Amino acid sequence: AMKLSICTDVMADLSFTEMLDKCVALGVEGIEMTGGGWSPAPHFRADELLADRSLLASRLKEIDARGLKIAALNCSGNPLDPGELGERHRGEI
């Protein structure tokens, strides 16, 4: 059976929990969250979650409580850019 997933960046205007509730309402089963790069990472900042394990645990609990699964973690960018952009993207990736 096919499982429907969505990249949560399309709901950047919603809070984390509002985004999760919207996914459930849409019948989505999996979420793809972006942690940086081209994305402003509205729901998943890898640096923040790695620095605060209780925040990470809380976010994972919210996902699990709704029966959702993490389908992918995404960090698309341009790490080969020789300037500041590339430096930032390399750090985030």
Side-chain angles (χ1 to χ4, degrees):
M2 183 176 75
K3 293 186 178 185
L4 183 63
S5 296
I6 191 168
C7 180
T8 62
D9 274 10
V10 300
M11 294 180 264
D13 59 321
L14 300 179
S15 72
F16 181 73
T17 54
E18 290 171 330
M19 173 273 296
L20 294 176
D21 291 340
K22 178 84 172 192
C23 288
V24 171
L26 292 171
V28 171
E29 297 175 75
I31 53 177
E32 174 187 341
M33 293 183 293
T34 50
W38 299 122
S39 169
H43 304 115
F44 181 89
R45 292 255 13 128
D47 54 351
E48 292 174 1
L49 294 172
L50 290 172
D52 185 346
R53 297 298 173 141
S54 64
L55 177 61
L56 175 59
S58 169
R59 293 280 172 97
L60 292 174
K61 184 177 178 180
E62 291 289 339
I63 293 167
D64 190 53
R66 290 166 177 80
L68 297 168
K69 301 290 182 201
I70 296 174
L73 300 176
N74 179 350
C75 190
S76 301
N78 185 2
L80 300 179
D81 182 284
E84 185 179 317
L85 177 73
E87 184 176 332
R88 183 173 61 82
H89 285 185
R90 283 190 298 278
E92 289 175 352
I93 290 170

